[in-house]
C-alpha cells in the first residue's frame, strides 16, 4: 500500500474525559498516524460516523479456553472443578487444532475491537509432556493464528513447573494434562523461550510465571532475571482465590505478592493478573514497585473469585495502571470488561464514580498495550500505530445518547456488537461488522470447537 489515507471521525476519543468532534486522522503507508487535527471534513477523506477509539488491548487471554464457553455451569462447582474441565480440553489440542481454534478466537476478538492480544501461553508440549520436533510449535501456532486474524500478539510464554502447593507447603509434581505445561526447570524454560523467534512484525515475546503455586519460590528469581535481561513484560497470576493465599502462607509464611517482591519479580514491567485477594500490605507493595494489575471481571465473576480492591489500587498519589483481559472468554467484550471494573467496585464499596469512562478506556487501550510491550499503540496521536475502532452510535443500545458524552455511552452501554470497523497497523481487519479475512467467524469457531470437544 502506498500513499497517505485520511479518515474524518465524527467523534474521536483522544484520551480525555469526553470525545472530540470532527477529528481528521492521516495514516501513512507504514501504518502510522502522521497527524490528528480537528476541523471540518475535507474532500477525499473517508467519513467514520459514530465514535472512533484507539485499538483495544486484550491483555490476558487463554485462547483454548474459548472452547469451554457455556460448558462449565452444570452442577455449580468452584474454580477448582472448573479447572478440571479446562484440563480435559487441554489434553486434546495439537499445533494444527490449536491454530484453528485460536485463529477463530482471535477473529472474534477483532470483531470486538481488539487489535492486540496478550496470550498467557502454557500449553507448550505434547501428551505426557513429550516435546514436539519444534519445542515451540504450540507458540508458533498462536503467532500464526494472530496473523491470520489480523491482530498483534504478545506471546507471554509461561514458566509452569509444579502442580500446586501441598498442605505441608511442598510443591506438588505435575500430573496428567499438566505434564504438557512443564519444561522441567526454570533454566530449560528460559532456553526454550530464548530459541523462540516469532515470525512477523505483528508478534513479540513476553515472559510469565504461572503463579506461586506453579513456580517454586527458588525458581522465581530465575524467571525474573530472564525477563529483566530481555526487558520483557512479565505477567503472573496472583491471589485469584483465597485458597491460593492460604496455601502460600502455609508454605512460606508470606503472601504471594510478598513472595514475588522478594524474588525480584515486581518491577514496572510486571503485570499481576487478577490480584483479587490482596492485603493492605500487598496493595502498598504493588504501588511501591510501580507494577500493574490486569483485571478480568467477566471471568472473575464467572468463577466466583471475588471483588478486587480496585479503588485502593488506583488511589492517588501512586496510581497502579489497570489493564483488561477476557481470560477464559466467558464473554468476549472489552466494553463489558471496562464497565465491570467500575460496577464491581460500586458493589464492593457502595460508592459510584471510582473510575470514569476516560480512565476505563485508558485501561482498555494505552495501559493494556503498554503492559504487553507495545508502547506505541493505544493512542490516537501522531507517531502512534494506526489502530482504530469505530463504534456505531445509532444502534438500539445507544439510541438517544448525547454524542458529546459518547465515551460514557459506549463504556457503560455499548457491546462488542456495536463495533463497526477495526483497523490494525493501518489495515482494515473488520468492515461493517464483518471480519475481512474470516467473514464467517461463527462457523470457524463452531467447527474448531466441535473438532476439539
Amino acid at each position: 500500500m502506498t500513499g497517505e489515507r485520511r479518515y474524518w471521525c465524527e467523534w474521536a476519543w483522544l484520551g480525555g474525559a469526553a470525545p472530540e468532534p470532527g477529528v481528521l486522522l492521516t495514516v501513512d503507508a507504514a501504518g502510522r498516524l502522521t497527524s490528528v487535527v480537528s476541523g471540518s471534513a475535507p474532500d477525499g477523506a473517508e467519513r467514520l460516523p459514530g465514535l472512533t477509539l484507539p485499538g483495544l488491548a486484550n491483555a490476558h487471554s487463554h485462547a483454548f479456553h474459548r472452547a469451554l464457553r457455556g460448558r462449565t455451569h452444570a452442577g455449580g462447582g468452584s474454580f477448582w472443578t472448573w479447572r478440571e474441565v479446562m484440563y480435559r480440553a487441554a489434553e486434546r489440542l495439537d499445533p494444527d487444532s490449536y491454530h484453528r481454534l485460536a485463529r477463530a478466537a482471535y477473529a472474534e476478538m477483532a470483531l470486538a475491537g481488539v487489535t492486540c492480544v496478550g496470550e498467557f501461553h502454557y500449553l507448550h508440549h505434547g501428551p505426557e509432556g513429550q516435546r514436539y520436533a519444534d519445542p515451540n510449535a504450540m507458540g508458533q501456532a498462536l503467532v500464526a493464528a494472530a496473523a491470520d486474524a489480523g491482530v498483534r500478539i504478545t506471546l507471554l510464554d509461561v514458566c509452569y513447573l509444579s502442580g500446586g502447593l501441598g498442605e505441608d507447603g511442598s510443591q506438588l509434581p505435575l500430573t496428567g494434562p499438566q505434564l504438557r505445561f512443564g519444561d522441567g526447570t526454570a533454566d530449560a524454560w528460559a532456553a526454550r523461550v530464548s530459541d523462540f523467534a516469532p515470525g512477523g512484525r505483528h508478534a513479540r515475546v513476553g515472559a510469565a510465571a504461572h503463579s506461586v503455586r506453579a513456580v517454586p519460590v527458588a525458581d522465581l528469581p530465575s524467571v525474573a532475571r530472564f525477563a529483566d535481561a530481555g526487558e520483557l513484560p512479565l505477567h503472573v497470576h496472583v491471589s485469584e482465590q483465597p485458597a491460593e493465599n492460604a496455601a502460600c502462607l502455609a508454605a512460606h509464611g508470606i503472601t504471594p505478592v510478598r513472595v514475588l517482591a522478594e524474588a525480584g519479580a515486581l518491577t514496572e514491567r510486571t503485570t499481576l493478573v487478577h490480584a483479587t485477594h490482596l492485603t493492605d500490605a500487598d496493595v502498598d507493595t504493588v504501588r511501591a514497585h510501580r507494577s500493574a494489575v490486569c483485571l478480568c471481571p467477566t471471568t472473575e465473576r464467572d468463577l466466583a473469585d471475588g471483588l478486587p480492591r480496585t479503588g485502593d489500587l488506583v488511589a492517588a498519589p501512586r496510581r497502579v495502571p489497570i489493564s483488561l483481559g477476557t481470560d477464559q472468554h466467558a464473554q468476549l467484550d472489552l466494553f463489558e470488561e471496562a464497565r465491570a471494573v467500575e460496577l464491581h467496585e460500586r458493589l464492593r464499596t457502595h460508592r459510584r464514580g471510582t473510575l470514569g469512562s476516560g480512565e476505563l478506556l485508558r485501561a482498555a487501550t494505552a495501559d493494556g498495550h503498554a503492559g504487553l510491550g507495545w508502547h506505541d499503540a493505544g493512542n490516537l496521536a501522531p507517531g502512534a500505530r494506526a489502530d482504530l475502532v469505530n463504534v456505531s452510535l445509532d444502534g438500539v443500545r445507544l439510541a438517544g445518547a448525547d454524542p458529546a458524552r459518547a465515551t460514557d455511552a459506549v463504556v457503560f452501554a455499548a457491546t462488542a456488537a456495536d463495533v463497526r470497523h477495526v483497523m490494525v497497523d493501518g489495515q482494515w481487519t473488520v468492515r461493517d461488522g464483518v471480519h475481512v479475512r474470516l467473514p464467517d467467524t461463527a462457523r470457524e469457531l463452531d467447527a474448531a470447537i466441535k473438532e476439539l470437544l
Side-chain angles (χ1 to χ4, degrees):
M1 183 177 293
T2 60
E4 290 190 329
R5 291 155 290 144
R6 296 185 297 172
Y7 303 93
W8 185 80
C9 307
E10 183 180 20
W11 294 90
W13 181 69
L14 304 183
E20 299 291 332
V23 175
L24 179 67
L25 307 176
T26 304
V27 179
D28 68 13
R32 298 274 177 171
L33 292 169
T34 56
S35 68
V36 178
V37 296
S38 298
S40 58
D43 292 338
E46 179 179 346
R47 291 171 175 260
L48 298 178
L51 176 65
T52 299
L53 306 168
L56 308 180
N58 185 354
H60 189 72
S61 162
H62 303 289
F64 76 92
H65 290 193
R66 174 61 182 85
L68 306 181
R69 186 182 296 175
R71 296 174 179 267
T72 65
H73 299 280
S78 67
F79 168 87
W80 308 102
T81 55
W82 168 88
R83 191 176 69 161
E84 294 306 313
V85 179
M86 179 269 288
Y87 284 163
R88 289 197 291 273
E91 285 184 297
R92 300 171 185 172
L93 285 161
D94 60 30
D96 289 338
S97 60
Y98 204 7
H99 171 258
R100 288 189 288 274
L101 176 59
R103 177 180 63 191
Y106 294 157
E108 184 184 8
M109 290 183 200
L111 289 167
V114 172
T115 58
C116 184
V117 59
E119 183 62 36
F120 199 88
H121 169 53
Y122 54 80
L123 186 51
H124 301 306
H125 306 299
E128 303 299 318
Q130 293 297 312
R131 273 39 173 180
Y132 293 106
D134 174 2
N136 288 297
M138 295 292 264
Q140 294 285 13
L142 292 165
V143 169
D148 290 346
V151 299
R152 289 191 305 277
I153 185 171
T154 296
L155 193 78
L156 298 160
D157 198 293
V158 177
C159 184
Y160 200 127
L161 304 176
S162 166
L165 287 169
E167 293 182 0
D168 61 354
S170 62
Q171 300 283 160
L172 302 176
L174 298 175
T175 59
Q178 294 175 331
L179 293 169
R180 301 191 68 176
F181 309 159
D183 289 293
T185 66
D187 287 344
W189 165 79
R192 179 180 55 75
V193 180
S194 295
D195 288 340
F196 181 50
R201 297 172 58 191
H202 74 295
R204 60 183 51 175
V205 174
H210 180 273
S211 60
V212 298
R213 292 181 287 108
V215 181
V217 168
D219 292 300
L220 283 169
S222 296
V223 177
R225 286 193 295 270
F226 179 83
D228 287 343
E231 297 185 346
L232 304 178
L234 174 62
H235 289 223
V236 192
H237 289 140
V238 172
S239 296
E240 181 178 3
Q241 287 281 326
E244 175 186 332
N245 284 5
C248 187
L249 287 167
H252 309 300
I254 53 177
T255 65
V257 165
R258 177 47 57 186
V259 167
L260 294 171
E262 293 187 1
L266 291 187
T267 72
E268 293 182 1
R269 287 178 289 97
T270 301
T271 296
L272 305 177
V273 181
H274 304 304
T276 310
H277 300 281
L278 302 184
T279 67
D280 289 346
D282 289 340
V283 171
D284 290 343
T285 299
V286 174
R287 288 160 62 91
H289 287 81
R290 300 185 182 277
S291 298
V293 166
C294 178
L295 300 178
C296 308
T298 64
T299 288
E300 289 151 7
R301 69 189 182 211
D302 179 75
L303 298 180
D305 286 346
L307 298 173
R309 299 175 57 176
T310 307
D312 299 328
L313 291 167
V314 302
R318 196 171 281 181
R319 172 187 177 272
V320 173
I322 300 293
S323 59
L324 305 175
T326 62
D327 196 354
Q328 60 149 332
H329 317 308
Q331 293 177 246
L332 223 163
D333 189 334
L334 265 291
F335 300 134
E336 174 60 25
E337 303 294 346
R339 67 174 152 263
V341 169
E342 165 64 17
L343 298 183
H344 287 189
E345 184 67 0
R346 293 181 187 184
L347 289 174
R348 187 181 76 89
T349 64
H350 310 285
R351 185 175 62 249
R352 302 179 84 208
T354 297
L355 290 172
S357 60
E359 295 166 298
L360 294 169
L361 283 175
R362 181 173 177 82
T365 57
D367 284 348
H369 282 96
L372 297 175
W374 303 89
H375 296 277
D376 55 353
N379 294 289
L380 298 183
R385 292 173 179 270
D387 295 349
L388 309 180
V389 178
N390 178 249
V391 183
S392 171
L393 299 179
D394 55 11
V396 66
R397 281 167 294 278
L398 300 179
D402 178 359
R405 301 296 300 274
T407 50
D408 288 345
V410 166
V411 168
F412 288 104
T415 74
D418 294 301
V419 172
R420 181 188 283 120
H421 309 304
V422 180
M423 176 184 287
V424 182
D425 284 331
Q427 302 289 326
W428 290 114
T429 299
V430 174
R431 284 296 240 172
D432 295 313
V434 178
H435 197 284
V436 173
R437 303 181 189 181
L438 283 79
D440 197 346
T441 302
R443 183 185 61 80
E444 297 263 353
L445 276 166
D446 184 69
I449 293 169
K450 285 179 176 176
E451 174 189 1
L452 178 62
L453 301 177

